[in-house]
Amino acid sequence: MAQRAVWLISHEPGTPLCGTVRFSRRYPTVEKRAKVFNGASYVPVPEDGPFLKALLFELRLLDDDKDFSESRDSCSHINKTSIYALPVGGEELWPVVAFLKNGMIYACVPLVEQTLSPRPPLISISGISQGFELLFGVQGFLYSGQKNDSELNTKLIQLPDLLLQACPFGTLLDANLQNSLDSINFASVTHPQKQPTWKAGTYKGKPQVSISITEKVKSMQYDKQDIADTWQVIGVVTCKCDLEGSMPNVTISLSLPTNGSPLQDILVHPCVTSLDSAVLTSSSIDAADDSAFSGPYKFPLTPPLESFNLCYYTSQVPVPPILGFYQVKEEEVQLKITVNLKLHESVKNSFEFCEAHIPFYNRGPVTHVEYKVSFGQLEVFREKSLLIWIIGQKFPKSMEISLSGTVTFGAKSHEKQPFDQICIGGTAYLKLHFRILDYTLTGCYADQHSVQVFASGKPKISTYRKLISSDYYIWNSKAPAPVTYGSLLL
Amino acid sequence: MGPTSRETWAQRLGTFRASPSAFMAGPEGEDLGRHLLSDLRSEKLSEPTKVSLLALSLEYPAQLWPDAPAAEAAATSLLDTLVLLPPRPSALRRPLLLAATTALAAGGALGPTSGASRRLLPLLLGLASGRDLGRSFGPASEQRPLQATAWECLRELESCKPGLLGGCLGLLRGLLGQEGPVQPLSLLLALALRNALVIQARARLGLQGLLVAGDCPTEGGSWNWMLAEEGDAHLQPQAPSWPAAEGGECCLATLELSPEEARELRAAVAQLLDASYLLTPVAQAQLLWLLGWALRGLRGQPPVLFKPQLVRLLGTAQLTLLHAVLALKAAFGEALFTAQDEALLLRRLTLAAQHPALPLPAHLFYLHCLLNFPENWPLGPAGEEAAPLLLGSQLCRGLLPSLLHDPMDLLARLHLLCLLCVEDEEKEKKGQDQSPRRYLEELLAGLRQRAALGGGPRALATLCFQASYLVARCLAGQPAVLTPLTHGLAQLYRARPALAPHFVDLLDRVGPELGEPLKVVLRQEVVSRPGRDEALRWHLQMLARVADGDAQSATLGFLQAAAARCTDWGLQQALLQVCRALLRAGVGGGLADLLQALARQLEDPDGRDHARLYYILLAHLEEPKLGVALGPSLAAPALASSLVAENQGFAAALMVQEAPAPIRLSVGPHRAKGPAPVLQLQVEVLEQVYSLELRFRVERQLYAPLGAVHMPCLCPGRPIRPLLLPLQPRRPAPASLAVRALYTTPSGLTCHAHLPPLLVNFADLFLPFPQPPEGAKLGFFEELWDSCLPKGTESRLWCPLGSHGLEALVSRHLEPFVVVAQPPTSYLIAIRLPPDSRLLLRLEAAQADGVPVALRTDDWAVLPLVGDYLRGLSAAG
């Protein structure tokens, strides 16, 4: 379950090495065990330089992919997990857990407590999931609230000390590095007996509980006979419980109105102490029926100090909030476009903002646009080959709006115009961006009475809700569009 | 030398980290460890600098202190530094404890004879158990973090030396219920418990009260190393942590626990599990792996203890927790998970593998877990990825690939889709729907469309070929999938010939199910579309891979047309590569014309030479030989001239190689007849060879040169008639024949071998005179006898006889040459010695132990040979 080494590498395309090792940490006692456990198949952890080179090549992050390279591009060289074998010094270092996120590569080498030839299945190596948690933890720490490079650098400087706390010998003690940081600060406080390790100290002050429900809705709309439109709601419930006592007990319930859509695929935070089996089994995998569990969804828990995601869920609402169609007809150098959007009557018609982005890929810059909108305004970004239809805060009474126009393009120059691997030929989409406050599509809510707190003092309870769009696509119905298996079956 | 300054250290540490090996090889390398230890006590350096020195020692002890004595000395020095710290708060205590532990464990110094170990262990245990170590050991505010650190140090030492804390199990259990940090204690107890169980099981002992013993070595008392010494011999690859992978029963099955011990063990495990909620998720997972491992296979320890934890764990999204549950599933199977539980676990896993709230690496790992799911009753072969039985296509719907997925995600999901298509085929036979296969086809078409995009990144093309390879491998037996795939790929080639290297790579790796038809359509694609100039290079590269004996005239026609447009060196080489492929495939007539034309017409001299070489090879080598000569070359790619490189490639094939002898030769029995002596050779075949030619050379030219002997084919174990080798002596004398063999191996290489020399004895040259008519024999002999003189010579000698007497001796050695015989005492013998000498022997009045021999010869030079021969006869018996 231990790690032999951990790296943080920034990916810097265009530089000679294409990356820099920003942080690395080796664990010699684990390495010593690896030598014994792996026996003849032992491959030592390389120094930073060779590791960087091998990893960037394997992750296809070096700039030189102009020519076919067998060791990288061969069709049989298939990776189906974020776990790699790196050729280093004529041998293969395996398993290397690595992934790229926000320009940073996170990597570690878990200890395998047996011989490596033949390679045991990944599922049998406890260090793999531990390695992932460590890397997710580091990533979470680096990017929580981080806005710019200097903040990132400050956090990188803190990292060695934090890992000395959270992973002193290569065996991870806590993936929540923020918690480790807090526990350094809380160090002088004596722990009472049953203090959870994931709670660095105790809260002192006015008791309050805040619960916020954020739903994202995504959709793929095709306007075609043989392909079904799809949409899905993904919810996250974030809580912050400022309560005194070492282990205050809280029960938070989420409720649905009578016509609400059942919550499915619920994943809870580990601080939840028990779960109703109906919560555990409610799943989007099953065909929907009326007997689906519709709450209330009760979550008894002992909250940590910091803000945490109590649960994630998905839901299948009966209709998408905005239904639309998009038609593109190619006429010589011009494209003739028609867009029609309709807000469903059940949806709260009060947006923080609502926009439709209409990009044109693999073409030249927009030179001329002629259009007519029934509502809102159209902005044209010529160089980006992008139109943005600003719909504003409200749909008109009819709930239905339309846009039609012709777009003319200049000559294509490869460098500047956006390339897209999906939008080939007539394939095109428009993407909706909107946000509605104090509203959820499922109807899900948590009110003051739904929170039970078993601790001294009556806490102030505040609740928030919002709906935002995410990957809300409407595809050109006059050309092929990428489909998922689900859209074909229906 | 004074202490180094902060700046110097910062710079030195920076250089060291950039490349430890380069630094250690440099001038400062040798003393780094020593300087580091001494500067830790320097009062001039600040605490942060010292912390950075300790951080280095935590990572690179093996470089700083490369052997056990150095590690021991370093640990001692670190402990001294720790004890000498003034009693005010300091940031050094924690890293010093970690560094001393690391030095001992990583340096291999931990053990009963190590003074540092004897100091460190009681110190750690004292700190950990919250015993008062006196004011000198830091202020009260540091006690809690130091306590937790001490537990971690002990856990690391126990990991590196299993059994080290076996004697403290009772103490640890006692402490778990009391005040103190619950996580480090729980983890250490679980680890020590597991290690103790394994060691005791190996020694076929019970727990021997370890769980209840309250006492533990403290300062003064000596540490109990017994279990650790036992365990140390076994820090070998322990039984793998994944029980199913191990196959057989776990070694713990041999552990006999008394009912009391079993009860204590159960209580300890329950105590640990009950408090597990207080641990961080990653620590909970570690605890579950350890306890699952500890109880697996242990008799009388039902795994139901884990049950209350499972629902809570299944609800979370934590990778480590679900992974730990899978480990429990694999360890206990049906004993812990009923069929319904198994189905629920699968559903949660399926859900986690696609849940939009989780990151992609987690999705991929869950997908891997699904395809390697430890089923209660697995049907397929172990170790092979397969969709679990309960994972029907309904459950998988959300897991199928789409073009919008990231490449890795797409490949992982595509694999699942292929597995479904395999099942689908079985269903299809029963007349059910075939949608997964149709979906697969559309997906592959989409991937090809993206790969065909000119100017797109190579990764898109790679993805398309990876997907095609995966499908060809998983669905090799389904022509319904492979046929559209083949045609789709041909279309892709038509759209973007620049992908030729990918096609060549694909052809090299897929089986014949896809490879053969793909080759045919690609060849058609190339030869039917001469293409523009930029595509010509790719067409030629493609053709070099797919050209074979079929459709010769179309291929040659294409090449003839292309030749005119091959104006630069690169294109000409590509063209010649195709010719080479055709040569190998045994294409004859038309190719010869083309090569001749190329040898005249190509602009580049290198190209012309090349074409001429191929033409010569085609004209002079037989087909199999040609195949070998043009086989894959080991030579490096062309530098200046491709001809040079190619010649290196041929060298092996066309040159004669020295090899060990494939046969063994020996001289068989003497055949005394005919006009000239003939050597009879026995052949023993050691390996299969073809076209064997044996060449003989007579030393000192005693005989006329010998002709070579040819044999078309020799196989070990197949009987061979003896070889007859006629000799033409120039003088009647024994000689040595040097023998060389030239032959072709079954792989087509020509080899030669030196065989051991063959010895032709004097007697091997003996020939009889023609038999005179009955009655004239004596006269005939006497006439010969008289004719020897005066030119020749006469001699007498004593030929000793063995136990068998004269008669036996004559019949064995001289029978063919006897002219007049009066057994058993008298024989007249006439021998012809080629080229034209004679030897006459009178063996008369034999006695018991010998016979007097009178001999005459017309060649006095043979006298010593005759003497040796006759004396040798009796010895030969």
Side-chain angles (χ1 to χ4, degrees), chain A residues 29 36 47 66 70 75 80 123-124 129 172-173 197 265-266 286, chain B residues 21 59 156 235 242 277-278 280 286 323 347-348 355 415 458 505 509:
Chain A
T29 50
V36 179
E47 292 185 0
K66 204 170 138 273
E70 189 177 306
C75 60
K80 294 181 291 178
I123 191 176
S124 69
S129 54
L172 186 60
L173 308 180
T197 316
D265 303 343
I266 298 169
D286 305 304
Chain B
S21 58
E59 285 195 66
E156 196 60 18
L235 180 72
W242 192 256
Y277 169 70
L278 298 171
T280 62
Q286 289 164 24
H323 195 192
R347 293 166 69 89
R348 292 301 290 184
H355 203 289
H415 188 194
R458 182 165 299 279
D505 172 63
R509 279 159 218 281

mmCIF file of all heavy atoms in Angstrom, chain A residues 29 36 47 66 70 75 80 123-124 129 172-173 197 265-266 286, chain B residues 21 59 156 235 242 277-278 280 286 323 347-348 355 415 458 505 509:
data_model
loop_
_atom_site.group_PDB
_atom_site.id
_atom_site.type_symbol
_atom_site.label_atom_id
_atom_site.label_comp_id
_atom_site.label_asym_id
_atom_site.label_seq_id
_atom_site.Cartn_x
_atom_site.Cartn_y
_atom_site.Cartn_z
ATOM 1 N N THR A 29 12.777 3.495 2.410
ATOM 2 C CA THR A 29 12.436 2.261 3.138
ATOM 3 C C THR A 29 11.486 1.403 2.300
ATOM 4 O O THR A 29 11.536 0.178 2.335
ATOM 5 C CB THR A 29 11.783 2.576 4.497
ATOM 6 O OG1 THR A 29 10.728 3.515 4.292
ATOM 7 C CG2 THR A 29 12.799 3.183 5.438
ATOM 8 N N VAL A 36 13.254 -6.405 -2.166
ATOM 9 C CA VAL A 36 13.059 -7.769 -1.649
ATOM 10 C C VAL A 36 11.836 -8.425 -2.285
ATOM 11 O O VAL A 36 11.906 -9.554 -2.780
ATOM 12 C CB VAL A 36 12.904 -7.734 -0.115
ATOM 13 C CG1 VAL A 36 12.674 -9.128 0.422
ATOM 14 C CG2 VAL A 36 14.119 -7.091 0.523
ATOM 15 N N GLU A 47 16.360 8.482 -11.586
ATOM 16 C CA GLU A 47 16.502 9.874 -11.175
ATOM 17 C C GLU A 47 15.488 10.722 -11.944
ATOM 18 O O GLU A 47 14.895 10.265 -12.918
ATOM 19 C CB GLU A 47 17.931 10.349 -11.442
ATOM 20 C CG GLU A 47 18.921 9.656 -10.527
ATOM 21 C CD GLU A 47 20.351 10.179 -10.670
ATOM 22 O OE1 GLU A 47 20.574 11.084 -11.488
ATOM 23 O OE2 GLU A 47 21.219 9.665 -9.947
ATOM 24 N N LYS A 66 5.459 14.349 -35.276
ATOM 25 C CA LYS A 66 5.318 14.494 -36.706
ATOM 26 C C LYS A 66 5.473 13.136 -37.404
ATOM 27 O O LYS A 66 4.704 12.791 -38.285
ATOM 28 C CB LYS A 66 6.367 15.476 -37.213
ATOM 29 C CG LYS A 66 5.980 16.142 -38.513
ATOM 30 C CD LYS A 66 6.960 17.274 -38.809
ATOM 31 C CE LYS A 66 7.343 17.290 -40.258
ATOM 32 N NZ LYS A 66 8.458 16.436 -40.598
ATOM 33 N N GLU A 70 7.300 3.860 -33.590
ATOM 34 C CA GLU A 70 6.671 2.590 -33.267
ATOM 35 C C GLU A 70 6.430 2.424 -31.771
ATOM 36 O O GLU A 70 5.379 1.963 -31.341
ATOM 37 C CB GLU A 70 7.530 1.442 -33.791
ATOM 38 C CG GLU A 70 6.815 0.116 -33.671
ATOM 39 C CD GLU A 70 7.639 -1.008 -34.243
ATOM 40 O OE1 GLU A 70 8.038 -0.897 -35.406
ATOM 41 O OE2 GLU A 70 7.884 -1.981 -33.512
ATOM 42 N N CYS A 75 -0.057 0.270 -32.955
ATOM 43 C CA CYS A 75 -1.459 0.007 -32.627
ATOM 44 C C CYS A 75 -1.604 -0.952 -31.447
ATOM 45 O O CYS A 75 -2.631 -0.963 -30.779
ATOM 46 C CB CYS A 75 -2.192 -0.538 -33.846
ATOM 47 S SG CYS A 75 -1.488 -2.065 -34.458
ATOM 48 N N LYS A 80 -5.208 1.276 -21.168
ATOM 49 C CA LYS A 80 -6.622 1.491 -20.877
ATOM 50 C C LYS A 80 -6.823 2.028 -19.468
ATOM 51 O O LYS A 80 -7.953 2.194 -19.018
ATOM 52 C CB LYS A 80 -7.384 0.182 -21.051
ATOM 53 C CG LYS A 80 -7.391 -0.267 -22.511
ATOM 54 C CD LYS A 80 -8.171 -1.550 -22.688
ATOM 55 C CE LYS A 80 -7.427 -2.686 -22.026
ATOM 56 N NZ LYS A 80 -8.130 -3.952 -22.114
ATOM 57 N N ILE A 123 -5.726 -4.844 -10.187
ATOM 58 C CA ILE A 123 -6.753 -4.845 -9.143
ATOM 59 C C ILE A 123 -6.209 -5.465 -7.858
ATOM 60 O O ILE A 123 -6.680 -5.194 -6.775
ATOM 61 C CB ILE A 123 -8.019 -5.589 -9.648
ATOM 62 C CG1 ILE A 123 -9.186 -5.373 -8.707
ATOM 63 C CG2 ILE A 123 -7.737 -7.048 -9.851
ATOM 64 C CD1 ILE A 123 -10.480 -5.989 -9.188
ATOM 65 N N SER A 124 -5.166 -6.279 -7.971
ATOM 66 C CA SER A 124 -4.643 -6.962 -6.792
ATOM 67 C C SER A 124 -3.596 -6.128 -6.054
ATOM 68 O O SER A 124 -3.074 -6.576 -5.051
ATOM 69 C CB SER A 124 -4.029 -8.296 -7.208
ATOM 70 O OG SER A 124 -2.856 -8.066 -7.960
ATOM 71 N N SER A 129 -4.653 2.093 -5.748
ATOM 72 C CA SER A 129 -5.701 3.047 -5.354
ATOM 73 C C SER A 129 -5.146 4.043 -4.336
ATOM 74 O O SER A 129 -5.545 5.215 -4.329
ATOM 75 C CB SER A 129 -6.920 2.318 -4.800
ATOM 76 O OG SER A 129 -6.561 1.443 -3.761
ATOM 77 N N LEU A 172 0.332 6.451 2.761
ATOM 78 C CA LEU A 172 -0.497 7.646 2.878
ATOM 79 C C LEU A 172 -1.347 7.585 4.145
ATOM 80 O O LEU A 172 -2.003 6.579 4.414
ATOM 81 C CB LEU A 172 -1.397 7.745 1.646
ATOM 82 C CG LEU A 172 -2.247 8.992 1.502
ATOM 83 C CD1 LEU A 172 -1.375 10.230 1.443
ATOM 84 C CD2 LEU A 172 -3.095 8.881 0.248
ATOM 85 N N LEU A 173 -1.317 8.668 4.945
ATOM 86 C CA LEU A 173 -2.123 8.705 6.163
ATOM 87 C C LEU A 173 -3.417 9.468 5.951
ATOM 88 O O LEU A 173 -4.426 9.173 6.560
ATOM 89 C CB LEU A 173 -1.332 9.361 7.295
ATOM 90 C CG LEU A 173 0.052 8.777 7.551
ATOM 91 C CD1 LEU A 173 0.721 9.524 8.689
ATOM 92 C CD2 LEU A 173 -0.057 7.303 7.871
ATOM 93 N N THR A 197 -9.576 11.032 12.971
ATOM 94 C CA THR A 197 -8.293 11.503 12.445
ATOM 95 C C THR A 197 -8.503 12.542 11.356
ATOM 96 O O THR A 197 -7.659 13.382 11.136
ATOM 97 C CB THR A 197 -7.525 10.311 11.869
ATOM 98 O OG1 THR A 197 -7.634 9.245 12.787
ATOM 99 C CG2 THR A 197 -6.079 10.647 11.663
ATOM 100 N N ASP A 265 -27.868 7.147 -8.422
ATOM 101 C CA ASP A 265 -26.401 7.051 -8.438
ATOM 102 C C ASP A 265 -25.784 7.895 -7.323
ATOM 103 O O ASP A 265 -24.868 8.688 -7.546
ATOM 104 C CB ASP A 265 -25.838 7.541 -9.783
ATOM 105 C CG ASP A 265 -26.412 6.783 -10.961
ATOM 106 O OD1 ASP A 265 -26.979 5.698 -10.720
ATOM 107 O OD2 ASP A 265 -26.311 7.267 -12.095
ATOM 108 N N ILE A 266 -26.286 7.710 -6.123
ATOM 109 C CA ILE A 266 -25.834 8.580 -5.035
ATOM 110 C C ILE A 266 -24.498 8.083 -4.477
ATOM 111 O O ILE A 266 -24.348 6.914 -4.125
ATOM 112 C CB ILE A 266 -26.900 8.623 -3.918
ATOM 113 C CG1 ILE A 266 -28.190 9.220 -4.499
ATOM 114 C CG2 ILE A 266 -26.418 9.442 -2.726
ATOM 115 C CD1 ILE A 266 -29.393 9.083 -3.614
ATOM 116 N N ASP A 286 -31.006 1.116 -13.998
ATOM 117 C CA ASP A 286 -32.291 0.446 -14.200
ATOM 118 C C ASP A 286 -33.241 1.316 -15.016
ATOM 119 O O ASP A 286 -33.159 2.537 -14.971
ATOM 120 C CB ASP A 286 -32.945 0.176 -12.842
ATOM 121 C CG ASP A 286 -32.026 -0.597 -11.949
ATOM 122 O OD1 ASP A 286 -31.600 -1.678 -12.363
ATOM 123 O OD2 ASP A 286 -31.712 -0.097 -10.860
ATOM 124 N N SER B 21 23.420 10.771 -8.744
ATOM 125 C CA SER B 21 24.562 9.926 -9.127
ATOM 126 C C SER B 21 25.730 10.797 -9.587
ATOM 127 O O SER B 21 26.881 10.524 -9.230
ATOM 128 C CB SER B 21 24.151 8.955 -10.221
ATOM 129 O OG SER B 21 23.669 9.670 -11.335
ATOM 130 N N GLU B 59 15.331 10.988 1.954
ATOM 131 C CA GLU B 59 15.126 10.491 0.598
ATOM 132 C C GLU B 59 16.299 9.683 0.069
ATOM 133 O O GLU B 59 16.129 8.799 -0.755
ATOM 134 C CB GLU B 59 14.871 11.670 -0.358
ATOM 135 C CG GLU B 59 13.506 12.269 -0.223
ATOM 136 C CD GLU B 59 13.203 13.154 -1.408
ATOM 137 O OE1 GLU B 59 13.098 12.625 -2.525
ATOM 138 O OE2 GLU B 59 13.086 14.380 -1.221
ATOM 139 N N GLU B 156 6.672 1.674 10.308
ATOM 140 C CA GLU B 156 7.597 1.492 9.195
ATOM 141 C C GLU B 156 8.614 0.408 9.524
ATOM 142 O O GLU B 156 8.963 -0.414 8.669
ATOM 143 C CB GLU B 156 8.299 2.816 8.884
ATOM 144 C CG GLU B 156 8.987 2.847 7.533
ATOM 145 C CD GLU B 156 8.039 2.616 6.372
ATOM 146 O OE1 GLU B 156 6.813 2.754 6.546
ATOM 147 O OE2 GLU B 156 8.533 2.263 5.280
ATOM 148 N N LEU B 235 10.987 -11.935 4.819
ATOM 149 C CA LEU B 235 10.507 -10.748 4.107
ATOM 150 C C LEU B 235 10.798 -11.030 2.645
ATOM 151 O O LEU B 235 11.621 -10.437 2.004
ATOM 152 C CB LEU B 235 11.179 -9.453 4.557
ATOM 153 C CG LEU B 235 10.670 -8.218 3.807
ATOM 154 C CD1 LEU B 235 9.272 -7.824 4.215
ATOM 155 C CD2 LEU B 235 11.573 -7.024 3.973
ATOM 156 N N TRP B 242 -3.430 -9.996 -3.189
ATOM 157 C CA TRP B 242 -4.689 -10.362 -3.822
ATOM 158 C C TRP B 242 -4.826 -11.862 -3.743
ATOM 159 O O TRP B 242 -4.150 -12.599 -4.435
ATOM 160 C CB TRP B 242 -4.685 -9.925 -5.272
ATOM 161 C CG TRP B 242 -6.026 -10.000 -5.902
ATOM 162 C CD1 TRP B 242 -6.452 -10.965 -6.778
ATOM 163 C CD2 TRP B 242 -7.102 -9.106 -5.740
ATOM 164 N NE1 TRP B 242 -7.729 -10.693 -7.154
ATOM 165 C CE2 TRP B 242 -8.169 -9.563 -6.535
ATOM 166 C CE3 TRP B 242 -7.293 -7.961 -4.974
ATOM 167 C CZ2 TRP B 242 -9.379 -8.896 -6.602
ATOM 168 C CZ3 TRP B 242 -8.509 -7.319 -5.040
ATOM 169 C CH2 TRP B 242 -9.542 -7.785 -5.845
ATOM 170 N N TYR B 277 -14.127 3.817 11.663
ATOM 171 C CA TYR B 277 -14.811 4.992 11.140
ATOM 172 C C TYR B 277 -14.041 6.279 11.468
ATOM 173 O O TYR B 277 -14.137 7.277 10.772
ATOM 174 C CB TYR B 277 -16.217 5.024 11.743
ATOM 175 C CG TYR B 277 -16.962 6.295 11.515
ATOM 176 C CD1 TYR B 277 -17.413 6.622 10.236
ATOM 177 C CD2 TYR B 277 -17.232 7.173 12.566
ATOM 178 C CE1 TYR B 277 -18.111 7.801 10.017
ATOM 179 C CE2 TYR B 277 -17.924 8.346 12.346
ATOM 180 C CZ TYR B 277 -18.355 8.659 11.071
ATOM 181 O OH TYR B 277 -19.039 9.828 10.857
ATOM 182 N N LEU B 278 -13.243 6.198 12.551
ATOM 183 C CA LEU B 278 -12.500 7.391 12.974
ATOM 184 C C LEU B 278 -11.243 7.619 12.131
ATOM 185 O O LEU B 278 -10.597 8.647 12.243
ATOM 186 C CB LEU B 278 -12.094 7.253 14.445
ATOM 187 C CG LEU B 278 -13.271 7.137 15.423
ATOM 188 C CD1 LEU B 278 -12.780 6.789 16.815
ATOM 189 C CD2 LEU B 278 -14.045 8.442 15.451
ATOM 190 N N THR B 280 -8.981 8.079 8.586
ATOM 191 C CA THR B 280 -9.193 8.709 7.287
ATOM 192 C C THR B 280 -9.534 7.606 6.274
ATOM 193 O O THR B 280 -9.178 6.434 6.490
ATOM 194 C CB THR B 280 -7.924 9.428 6.806
ATOM 195 O OG1 THR B 280 -6.900 8.459 6.653
ATOM 196 C CG2 THR B 280 -7.489 10.495 7.778
ATOM 197 N N GLN B 286 -6.443 0.771 4.218
ATOM 198 C CA GLN B 286 -5.266 -0.013 4.609
ATOM 199 C C GLN B 286 -5.634 -1.036 5.673
ATOM 200 O O GLN B 286 -5.207 -2.192 5.627
ATOM 201 C CB GLN B 286 -4.174 0.914 5.152
ATOM 202 C CG GLN B 286 -3.528 1.776 4.069
ATOM 203 C CD GLN B 286 -2.740 2.945 4.658
ATOM 204 O OE1 GLN B 286 -2.303 2.901 5.802
ATOM 205 N NE2 GLN B 286 -2.586 3.990 3.867
ATOM 206 N N HIS B 323 -11.892 -0.188 -3.535
ATOM 207 C CA HIS B 323 -10.837 -1.151 -3.853
ATOM 208 C C HIS B 323 -10.646 -2.138 -2.698
ATOM 209 O O HIS B 323 -10.508 -3.346 -2.904
ATOM 210 C CB HIS B 323 -9.532 -0.391 -4.138
ATOM 211 C CG HIS B 323 -8.493 -1.211 -4.810
ATOM 212 N ND1 HIS B 323 -7.188 -0.816 -4.938
ATOM 213 C CD2 HIS B 323 -8.550 -2.423 -5.405
ATOM 214 C CE1 HIS B 323 -6.506 -1.742 -5.577
ATOM 215 N NE2 HIS B 323 -7.307 -2.722 -5.869
ATOM 216 N N ARG B 347 -23.040 -3.390 -9.315
ATOM 217 C CA ARG B 347 -23.788 -2.207 -9.740
ATOM 218 C C ARG B 347 -23.113 -0.938 -9.258
ATOM 219 O O ARG B 347 -23.000 0.043 -9.991
ATOM 220 C CB ARG B 347 -25.217 -2.256 -9.202
ATOM 221 C CG ARG B 347 -26.048 -3.361 -9.816
ATOM 222 C CD ARG B 347 -27.303 -3.547 -9.006
ATOM 223 N NE ARG B 347 -28.181 -2.399 -9.149
ATOM 224 C CZ ARG B 347 -29.097 -2.296 -10.099
ATOM 225 N NH1 ARG B 347 -29.241 -3.266 -10.965
ATOM 226 N NH2 ARG B 347 -29.859 -1.241 -10.188
ATOM 227 N N ARG B 348 -22.633 -0.954 -8.013
ATOM 228 C CA ARG B 348 -21.951 0.228 -7.503
ATOM 229 C C ARG B 348 -20.681 0.497 -8.317
ATOM 230 O O ARG B 348 -20.333 1.629 -8.602
ATOM 231 C CB ARG B 348 -21.571 0.051 -6.016
ATOM 232 C CG ARG B 348 -22.734 0.018 -5.075
ATOM 233 C CD ARG B 348 -23.610 1.261 -5.106
ATOM 234 N NE ARG B 348 -23.003 2.467 -4.558
ATOM 235 C CZ ARG B 348 -23.640 3.635 -4.426
ATOM 236 N NH1 ARG B 348 -24.919 3.750 -4.782
ATOM 237 N NH2 ARG B 348 -23.023 4.691 -3.965
ATOM 238 N N HIS B 355 -19.649 7.574 -13.214
ATOM 239 C CA HIS B 355 -20.281 8.689 -12.508
ATOM 240 C C HIS B 355 -19.636 10.003 -12.894
ATOM 241 O O HIS B 355 -18.437 10.171 -12.799
ATOM 242 C CB HIS B 355 -20.185 8.486 -10.993
ATOM 243 C CG HIS B 355 -21.228 9.236 -10.256
ATOM 244 N ND1 HIS B 355 -21.215 10.601 -10.151
ATOM 245 C CD2 HIS B 355 -22.347 8.822 -9.603
ATOM 246 C CE1 HIS B 355 -22.270 10.997 -9.459
ATOM 247 N NE2 HIS B 355 -22.970 9.933 -9.114
ATOM 248 N N HIS B 415 -13.030 -1.955 -25.406
ATOM 249 C CA HIS B 415 -12.732 -3.330 -25.026
ATOM 250 C C HIS B 415 -13.977 -4.008 -24.458
ATOM 251 O O HIS B 415 -14.314 -5.136 -24.815
ATOM 252 C CB HIS B 415 -11.594 -3.331 -24.001
ATOM 253 C CG HIS B 415 -11.082 -4.697 -23.698
ATOM 254 N ND1 HIS B 415 -10.278 -4.978 -22.631
ATOM 255 C CD2 HIS B 415 -11.269 -5.871 -24.338
ATOM 256 C CE1 HIS B 415 -10.001 -6.267 -22.622
ATOM 257 N NE2 HIS B 415 -10.588 -6.834 -23.642
ATOM 258 N N ARG B 458 -1.374 13.371 -34.893
ATOM 259 C CA ARG B 458 -1.122 11.952 -35.106
ATOM 260 C C ARG B 458 -1.899 11.096 -34.114
ATOM 261 O O ARG B 458 -2.291 9.971 -34.411
ATOM 262 C CB ARG B 458 0.375 11.657 -34.999
ATOM 263 C CG ARG B 458 0.715 10.214 -35.268
ATOM 264 C CD ARG B 458 2.182 10.000 -35.508
ATOM 265 N NE ARG B 458 2.692 10.712 -36.650
ATOM 266 C CZ ARG B 458 2.570 10.289 -37.909
ATOM 267 N NH1 ARG B 458 1.944 9.168 -38.160
ATOM 268 N NH2 ARG B 458 3.066 10.990 -38.892
ATOM 269 N N ASP B 505 2.283 -1.028 -39.647
ATOM 270 C CA ASP B 505 2.353 -1.468 -38.257
ATOM 271 C C ASP B 505 1.167 -2.373 -37.919
ATOM 272 O O ASP B 505 1.323 -3.419 -37.293
ATOM 273 C CB ASP B 505 2.367 -0.221 -37.368
ATOM 274 C CG ASP B 505 2.251 -0.543 -35.895
ATOM 275 O OD1 ASP B 505 3.170 -1.215 -35.390
ATOM 276 O OD2 ASP B 505 1.259 -0.143 -35.259
ATOM 277 N N ARG B 509 0.988 -6.589 -36.869
ATOM 278 C CA ARG B 509 0.572 -7.013 -35.546
ATOM 279 C C ARG B 509 -0.719 -7.813 -35.486
ATOM 280 O O ARG B 509 -0.932 -8.558 -34.547
ATOM 281 C CB ARG B 509 0.435 -5.788 -34.632
ATOM 282 C CG ARG B 509 1.792 -5.388 -34.125
ATOM 283 C CD ARG B 509 1.868 -3.990 -33.647
ATOM 284 N NE ARG B 509 3.140 -3.403 -34.017
ATOM 285 C CZ ARG B 509 4.269 -3.622 -33.367
ATOM 286 N NH1 ARG B 509 4.294 -4.394 -32.315
ATOM 287 N NH2 ARG B 509 5.394 -3.073 -33.783
#
